[in-house]
Amino acid sequence: MNTGPAATPFVDRRQVARRFARAAANYPAGDFLAREIDRRMAERLDYVRLTPQRILDLGCSRGGSFAALQARYPTARLHALDLVAPMLQGMAQEPAGWRRWLGRTAPGPVPVQADAQMLPFREASFDLIWSNLLLHWLDHPLPAFREAQRSLSSGGLFMFSTLGPDTLRELRAAFADGDAHTQRFTDMHDLGDMLLEAGFADPVVDMETITLTYDTLDALFADLRAAGSSCAMLARRQGILTPRRLSEVRAAYDSLRKDGKLPATFEVVYGHAWKGEGKAVASRGTQGSDKVIRFMPREAR
């Protein structure tokens, strides 16, 4: 398997930024899936022995992870990094959430606008790097993994979630036209190998399937737009669908209706790994996880 970064970009990063900038103002009303995945990822910290003093939320959006992280690690200094300035600006507008944990006099998260593939931090800057649903917006996860490994202190932990290849499979089947209609999602096995290639120790990945249901295809499209999650691939269809083509897509998707509802599958991949020689910690997937895989270097397999 070639785990090096793709020579030719296939993600339209400008489109990613535009979509999330447009969604930023009302993002808390549209990020319900991200918040649920965030909650499930946070449960894994129950099985980790770590007392971080410096935390980086990588791809923080408007800070939906802050409350849980600060409640768990009240003395830690939190840095919040996102590519999109309106997301970072929106953090200050949150009336509740992490602010109630920080209190009025405690310093808030340090906002940083930057690319996850080129972090503006010195080596060993953080003890925990947390990333919820960022990786599938990048051309390739490996540069971000390498930057996270570089930015962690010895014994530090990298914990992430992303979406796997079965995500929105119903939508792809309904279009079936060769154009990209979702992001390109990386398989969990490849993610584990990339963590090793980036220099991490004891990488563990697991996955589960979350199925949302909708009354109409338009309702699914509306949720994706509200979350900034519409397709941003360079190979996406350009232009507006004709009424005839849209009617064909609706009919194809409607053939998948079950119990009166349209399913939308999300394959959620969770992973964590250590910088250094690794640590013996109890690890488990969430209840109902399909599989948990521990990775080792290829020469030891």
Side-chain angles (χ1 to χ4, degrees):
M1 178 190 66
N2 178 15
T3 56
T8 302
F10 56 85
V11 174
D12 187 342
R13 298 299 302 282
R14 291 183 179 180
Q15 183 71 351
V16 172
R18 283 194 294 266
R19 291 277 170 83
F20 280 100
R22 191 177 301 131
N26 298 309
Y27 191 68
D31 69 341
F32 62 91
L33 181 60
R35 298 283 62 77
E36 175 60 22
I37 293 171
D38 185 83
R39 183 190 66 78
R40 298 184 186 198
M41 186 165 66
E43 291 179 348
R44 288 159 168 72
L45 291 173
D46 293 341
Y47 299 86
V48 171
R49 296 176 183 175
L50 185 70
T51 308
Q53 293 304 307
R54 300 158 297 171
I55 300 174
L56 173 63
D57 187 342
L58 192 60
C60 64
S61 63
R62 282 187 54 161
S65 302
F66 296 167
L69 289 173
Q70 198 70 61
R72 185 180 292 270
Y73 306 116
T75 64
R77 189 74 166 104
L78 183 61
H79 285 65
L81 183 144
D82 204 275
L83 180 67
V84 181
M87 285 291 188
L88 295 170
Q89 293 161 2
M91 293 188 327
Q93 301 169 11
E94 294 296 319
W98 58 268
R99 287 185 175 275
R100 68 172 178 269
W101 296 106
L102 291 174
R104 293 183 178 179
T105 59
V110 178
V112 181
Q113 184 181 5
D115 190 329
Q117 301 168 107
M118 296 179 290
L119 296 181
F121 306 113
R122 297 177 180 176
E123 293 184 7
S125 291
F126 302 101
D127 308 307
L128 170 63
I129 296 181
W130 173 274
S131 182
N132 182 32
L133 297 182
L134 166 69
L135 297 176
H136 51 279
W137 298 110
L138 307 176
D139 280 319
H140 201 281
L142 184 55
F145 284 176
R146 285 174 171 156
E147 281 292 272
Q149 200 272 351
R150 180 187 65 79
S151 301
L152 276 172
S153 60
S154 180
L157 177 67
F158 177 44
M159 181 169 280
F160 68 88
S161 67
T162 188
L163 297 178
D166 271 350
T167 298
L168 295 173
R169 63 191 181 197
E170 299 89 354
L171 189 61
R172 289 193 296 274
F175 277 97
D177 57 7
D179 291 329
H181 296 282
T182 70
Q183 293 305 106
R184 189 171 102 174
F185 305 111
T186 304
D187 183 82
M188 63 182 292
H189 300 83
D190 293 337
L191 290 169
D193 283 339
M194 290 177 205
L195 288 168
L196 287 172
E197 184 171 347
F200 283 104
D202 293 345
V204 178
V205 296
D206 66 285
M207 59 83 70
E208 65 176 338
T209 299
I210 297 176
T211 302
L212 305 182
T213 57
Y214 292 89
D215 292 325
T216 66
L217 183 57
D218 285 340
L220 170 59
F221 287 153
D223 272 358
L224 292 175
R225 285 194 299 270
S229 296
S230 299
C231 179
M233 300 291 286
L234 288 169
R236 69 188 184 280
R237 179 184 177 88
Q238 304 292 328
I240 300 174
L241 290 176
T242 65
R244 178 178 178 180
R245 179 62 181 135
L246 186 55
S247 178
E248 292 171 349
V249 172
R250 291 184 197 280
Y253 208 121
D254 202 65
S255 69
L256 304 175
R257 191 178 292 273
K258 298 178 182 178
D259 300 322
K261 297 287 186 178
L262 299 177
T265 297
F266 293 84
E267 179 187 332
V268 185
V269 179
Y270 306 91
H272 72 258
W274 299 89
K275 179 171 182 176
E277 297 181 358
K279 297 183 179 181
V281 298
S283 300
R284 67 169 179 88
T286 55
Q287 184 176 0
S289 288
D290 296 297
K291 59 184 73 174
V292 177
I293 299 179
R294 294 178 178 272
F295 287 80
M296 62 182 70
R298 290 180 180 273
E299 60 270 18
R301 296 182 191 178

